[in-house]
Amino acid sequence: MREDGPAICDGKNYIIIKGSFMKLAKLKTQKQCQLGRASVDVAGLLGHPVGTQFRLHSGGGKQRLMRPEPVEHTEDLADAIAADESAADNRNLLANQTSQAMTKERIMEMREQGATGKEIVTTIVDNSTSFQGKTEFSQAKYVRKKQKKYFEFISVQEPTVRLVASMYYMQDPLKIMNLRVDSLSQLLTACSVRPGGRYLVLESGCLAVTVAAVLERLGGHGHLVHLFQGGTPQRHAVDAINFTSDQLACLSCVDLRTLMTHHPADPSASAPAASAAPAPGASPASAEAQADETVATDRETVAPNGETAQTAAESPKAAADGIPSSGGGGDVTTTDGGGDVVPDGGDDVTPATEEPTAATAEETEGTEAQESRKRRLSGSQTETSERKSKYARTRCEDSELALNMLSSKDMDGLLLCCRQHPVNLLRYLLRFLAVSRPFTVFCPYKEPLLECYFAMKAEGCIMLKVTETWLRNYQVLPERTHPEINMSGGGGYILSGFKVDRSLNRAAVTD
């Protein structure tokens, strides 16, 4: 049992490893952690150092509540369960269902009675008629196969990028675009990610694995701009890792559409909207300010408590409903906290004289309903603010910080990992990269990267290369070391290169 290192705390994320199975869980005292069909008592895990090995003791019953107990080391049943006899080869083995006398009902009954995994595996081996006829290696392989099913040891680890990426890859490689851990490490190395740098990452459809990897490499020093497409950025891997507030302060997110509004792909192209077009005699500075003001006006304003504030875009709807506006030359109407329209008390406002009691009752019922709704939502808003405490800034502050940083166009690295075709995105984002800085693109297929290769070669980039990541695991055991039979087919392709400024060479030749 480990005695050093940080302790397992209540309310934090951890990765629970049971054999080859990994699960991300937030450990809380009053809750149970589900591992397959069994539940683990979280209270027995808290307070122990991270990385401690636990043995799960069954409490019996159909619910199978397991009580963890810290141990010094795990036990290999293949060494503990050794047969007295073994055959020279497996020529006499027959593949049938009659060699095992144990039934499924008997095994479930032993589990409900609280039998340990070692007792169950020993009983299965004793009731096997063909176990003695196996070779020594086949016997050890058989025991380890049963040990995986009835394994009773777990370990609690701090979530890191390596563990989170491996867990996502084991669950479903397509969710992270077949991005293996070795491909991720090569991606970071080719982009020269280091503390103190400023990096631009475009990721979509990869569960924010590359964003979390770059953020972990920065270590709280530098800045990372995450470009995303759609309504909200993916933060699965970022939220899974227990980043500190200083590390999260280095991350800012901005929508790609917002970036293209401020920095159009074609400088000579007109503004996307007629209202954002600059005046004919306006200067470039005033035109850019006018465009920024238009975007800020059209953007939906979000209050700190999570409620959506009313914007100017609702004024046409109000005018259609017959509500007078401030530009009508008459009375000005305002909106109180409950959402009712209240007159400003002008002279031409005539109080209602017909059925005052019914109108007053309707207004009172509407006000009480809105107040009760606010009281119901107050608790959920408090929980939402606590749940969103990982965000260092609001969405508007994030976008403003990212746009100001990208306006300097001196980022230290560019990293693309998206499901869209990357050639046009790479051409557009290359302008924000400083000269002599690296860029990397990851794709599960090589054909899109070949198009990017020739496109960047035409742009004048140097040291371009497309590499394929390949990983092979080996089984290392006495007298039977060989590559594993089941392995991943591919880990994707990586395009890397450096941006250079060819105008300096042309100026030197002209002189």
Side-chain angles (χ1 to χ4, degrees):
M1 181 176 62
R2 295 183 55 179
E3 298 181 357
D4 54 347
I8 303 174
C9 302
D10 184 14
K12 296 182 65 176
N13 293 331
Y14 294 96
I15 291 184
I16 300 179
I17 303 177
K18 183 180 180 182
S20 59
F21 172 78
M22 291 190 295
K23 179 181 180 180
L24 178 68
K26 177 176 286 188
L27 302 183
K28 292 186 178 181
T29 308
Q30 304 297 333
K31 291 187 178 181
Q32 301 174 0
C33 181
Q34 194 74 21
L35 288 179
R37 297 181 180 179
S39 300
V40 180
D41 186 13
V42 176
L45 302 175
L46 301 179
H48 296 280
V50 176
T52 304
Q53 302 282 345
F54 295 92
R55 179 195 291 270
L56 299 180
H57 294 276
S58 176
K62 295 184 178 180
Q63 295 183 355
R64 295 188 61 198
L65 179 61
M66 313 296 288
R67 295 178 293 100
E69 178 186 354
V71 294
E72 293 290 341
H73 58 275
T74 60
E75 184 179 8
D76 190 3
L77 298 183
D79 299 334
I81 303 175
D84 298 334
E85 299 178 2
S86 61
D89 50 43
N90 297 327
R91 69 178 65 184
N92 296 324
L93 295 181
L94 298 177
N96 52 33
Q97 303 296 329
T98 61
S99 60
Q100 181 57 249
M102 285 287 293
T103 61
K104 180 180 179 181
E105 290 75 12
R106 174 56 182 163
I107 296 176
M108 295 300 297
E109 183 180 353
M110 293 181 63
R111 280 191 165 185
E112 292 178 2
Q113 294 175 358
T116 62
K118 183 178 180 180
E119 294 175 352
I120 295 176
V121 175
T122 303
T123 305
I124 293 175
V125 169
D126 294 340
N127 286 270
S128 177
T129 58
S130 61
F131 186 78
Q132 302 293 337
K134 297 177 181 288
T135 62
E136 182 181 356
F137 296 152
S138 298
Q139 290 177 353
K141 184 177 180 180
Y142 179 83
V143 172
R144 287 193 175 95
K145 181 180 178 181
K146 299 300 179 182
Q147 180 182 357
K148 288 182 180 180
K149 188 174 183 179
Y150 305 102
F151 197 71
E152 57 184 3
F153 294 94
I154 64 171
S155 64
V156 182
Q157 302 291 340
E158 186 76 22
T160 60
V161 173
R162 181 183 64 84
L163 291 178
V164 171
S166 301
M167 180 188 66
Y168 286 152
Y169 190 85
M170 291 174 59
Q171 292 175 357
D172 189 0
L174 297 180
K175 286 187 176 180
I176 56 174
M177 300 168 53
N178 289 327
L179 181 62
R180 286 198 312 252
V181 179
D182 59 311
S183 304
L184 181 61
S185 62
Q186 294 185 32
L187 204 62
L188 299 178
T189 303
C191 198
S192 185
V193 180
R194 63 190 184 279
R198 310 197 317 171
Y199 299 94
L200 176 61
V201 176
L202 172 62
E203 185 197 277
S204 60
C206 202
L207 300 182
V209 173
T210 56
V211 177
V214 175
L215 197 61
E216 188 181 61
R217 280 280 185 97
L218 291 179
H221 303 282
H223 200 83
L224 169 62
V225 177
H226 177 203
L227 281 178
F228 64 94
Q229 296 174 321
T232 56
Q234 290 185 340
R235 287 178 60 99
H236 298 74
V238 176
D239 294 339
I241 301 175
N242 300 317
F243 285 116
T244 62
S245 57
D246 295 337
Q247 290 176 314
L248 291 175
C250 300
L251 174 63
S252 61
C253 305
V254 61
D255 190 2
L256 182 61
R257 182 177 298 179
T258 304
L259 178 62
M260 297 186 69
T261 303
H262 289 75
H263 301 277
D266 187 6
S268 61
S270 58
S275 58
S283 60
S286 61
E288 184 177 0
Q290 183 180 0
D292 294 347
E293 183 179 359
T294 305
V295 173
T297 304
D298 296 339
R299 188 183 302 150
E300 185 180 17
T301 305
V302 180
N305 58 357
E307 297 179 353
T308 304
Q310 187 177 12
T311 61
E314 299 179 0
S315 57
K317 181 178 182 297
D321 295 338
I323 302 175
S325 60
S326 60
D331 300 324
V332 179
T333 58
T334 58
T335 305
D336 64 351
D340 299 329
V341 178
V342 183
D344 66 341
D347 297 336
D348 56 348
V349 177
T350 304
T353 57
E354 297 181 0
E355 299 179 358
T357 306
T360 305
E362 291 179 359
E363 292 178 358
T364 304
E365 291 178 359
T367 304
E368 291 179 354
Q370 292 171 0
E371 290 179 355
S372 62
R373 181 175 180 274
K374 285 184 178 181
R375 286 193 297 269
R376 289 195 305 268
L377 293 177
S378 60
S380 62
Q381 290 174 0
T382 304
E383 295 177 359
T384 303
S385 61
E386 294 178 356
R387 185 166 56 251
K388 294 183 178 181
S389 59
K390 281 194 172 185
Y391 294 87
R393 291 171 293 272
T394 62
R395 177 71 65 82
C396 296
E397 294 174 350
D398 254 1
S399 299
E400 183 178 358
L401 177 61
L403 291 174
N404 292 336
M405 184 168 296
L406 293 176
S407 298
S408 59
K409 299 182 178 181
D410 59 348
M411 305 301 289
D412 294 326
L414 173 62
L415 195 151
L416 271 71
C417 184
C418 57
R419 296 183 182 273
Q420 294 79 10
H421 201 292
V423 60
N424 292 329
L425 295 172
L426 182 58
R427 284 173 176 168
Y428 171 71
L429 297 177
L430 199 65
R431 69 180 69 183
F432 302 105
L433 192 63
V435 181
S436 301
R437 296 298 190 272
F439 62 89
T440 55
V441 184
F442 174 82
C443 186
Y445 318 103
K446 65 179 179 180
E447 288 78 12
L449 293 187
L450 292 179
E451 295 186 27
C452 293
Y453 177 88
F454 292 110
M456 293 298 101
K457 192 173 183 180
E459 294 286 341
C461 299
I462 62 172
M463 298 181 65
L464 295 170
K465 59 180 179 180
V466 179
T467 58
E468 178 185 7
T469 58
W470 194 72
L471 178 67
R472 193 170 192 177
N473 296 323
Y474 276 76
Q475 170 187 293
V476 181
L477 292 173
E479 300 183 17
R480 51 193 187 278
T481 299
H482 58 80
E484 292 186 356
I485 299 175
N486 297 325
M487 55 178 292
S488 60
Y493 300 84
I494 296 177
L495 168 67
S496 60
F498 284 82
K499 176 185 175 181
V500 296
D501 190 359
R502 297 288 186 178
S503 60
L504 301 178
N505 295 337
R506 288 194 293 266
V509 172
T510 303
D511 295 341

